[in-house]
């Protein structure tokens, strides 16, 4: 439903794999329990663990969407830091959870260290602010605007500094916030 929206740019590449996994369970009892939303949640958790991050237990049994979510469900890149925090608060997340979830940008090629290693390099880079260094021509290519914004906010910086100094705290907080995020809107899982 939503793959053509600007905020989801690039997701079509991964959608083929989601379809392949779904096809592989057709005709099995798992086909009645495993929705595309489950596969996405499981794939995210797997990616984190496979790149050195924490193990994340994800329940299955989400119901597949029958229509597109409202537009602007994902915050735009043109928001200021207060608007970003308010967006996450309306979704039920604390600022600490928002900062922890932002740490997912440590993998995937946003310029925060090794794109195949889930660690706290994202936060270390936020503190360094390479995008502000005129001698670093590639610095402006690192991250997305929201990454740069949270590095300017005192409340966010409290959590960023915690994660710079304590990767285990980042892993624990990320795991908990990820589970909360992938369970948004789920009223009940099958037994």
């Amino acid at each position: 439903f939503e793959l053509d929206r600007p905020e989801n740019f690039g997701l079509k590449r991964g959608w083929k794999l989601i379809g392949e996994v779904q096809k592989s369970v057709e005709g099995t009892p798992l086909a009645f329990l495993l929705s595309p939303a489950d596969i996405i949640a499981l794939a995210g958790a797997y990616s984190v663990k496979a790149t050195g991050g924490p193990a994340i237990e994800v329940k299955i049994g989400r119901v597949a969407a029958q229509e597109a979510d409202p537009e602007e469900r994902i915050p735009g890149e043109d928001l200021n830091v207060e608007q970003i925090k308010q967006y996450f608060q309306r979704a039920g997340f604390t600022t600490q959870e928002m900062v922890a979830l932002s740490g997912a940008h440590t993998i995937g090629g946003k310029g925060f260290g090794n794109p195949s290693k889930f660690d706290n390099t994202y936060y270390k880079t936020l503190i360094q602010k390479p995008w502000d260094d005129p001698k670093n021509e590639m610095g402006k290519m690192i991250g997305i605007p929201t990454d740069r914004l949270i590095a300017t906010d005192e409340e966010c910086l409290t959590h960023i500094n915690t994660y710079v100094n304590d990767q285990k705290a980042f892993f624990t907080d990320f795991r908990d916030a990820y589970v909360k995020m992938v369970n948004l809107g789920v009223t009940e899982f099958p037994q």
Side-chain angles (χ1 to χ4, degrees):
F1 296 121
E2 302 162 14
L3 293 176
D4 292 323
R5 290 184 179 173
E7 67 266 25
N8 293 330
F9 178 78
L11 294 181
K12 283 184 180 179
R13 291 176 295 187
W15 193 254
K16 182 179 178 187
L17 181 59
I18 302 299
E20 289 173 10
V21 172
Q22 195 168 18
K23 192 171 191 145
S24 75
V25 299
E26 284 179 5
T28 72
L30 192 54
F32 298 102
L33 292 175
L34 194 66
S35 71
D38 289 322
I39 298 168
I40 292 167
L42 290 164
Y46 175 82
S47 297
V48 168
K49 179 65 177 161
T51 57
I56 304 172
E57 186 175 319
V58 176
K59 294 180 180 181
I60 62 170
R62 289 163 185 78
V63 176
Q66 298 302 308
E67 59 186 32
D69 276 338
E71 292 201 25
E72 298 181 7
R73 176 114 190 251
I74 296 174
E77 292 186 357
D78 59 342
L79 301 180
N80 65 43
V81 73
E82 286 304 317
Q83 291 170 319
I84 295 166
K85 290 183 343 183
Q86 289 170 6
Y87 170 86
F88 276 88
Q89 288 168 354
R90 283 192 304 273
F93 292 96
T94 65
T95 299
Q96 176 266 322
E97 290 168 326
M98 177 194 77
V99 172
L101 286 171
S102 296
H105 294 172
T106 198
I107 56 175
K110 294 283 184 199
F112 297 104
N114 182 338
S116 299
K117 183 164 176 56
F118 192 92
D119 60 15
N120 63 347
T121 301
Y122 170 78
Y123 302 105
K124 293 175 181 179
T125 306
L126 291 182
I127 296 297
Q128 295 167 354
K129 299 181 182 173
W131 45 85
D132 287 342
D133 181 356
K135 296 176 188 168
N136 184 349
E137 292 181 24
M138 295 302 293
K140 295 195 182 334
M141 304 296 291
I142 295 174
I144 59 175
T146 56
D147 296 319
R148 295 181 199 116
L149 285 173
I150 68 170
T152 66
D153 180 75
E154 288 303 318
E155 183 181 11
C156 292
L157 279 169
T158 300
H159 305 295
I160 291 167
N161 283 311
T162 296
Y163 300 148
V164 163
N165 296 308
D166 190 347
Q167 182 168 279
K168 186 176 177 182
F170 162 51
F171 281 14
T172 298
D173 292 348
F174 179 86
R175 180 199 64 218
D176 295 346
Y178 184 85
V179 169
K180 183 176 180 177
M181 178 185 68
V182 298
N183 289 341
L184 281 177
V186 178
T187 55
E188 181 178 321
F189 284 99
Q191 299 301 321

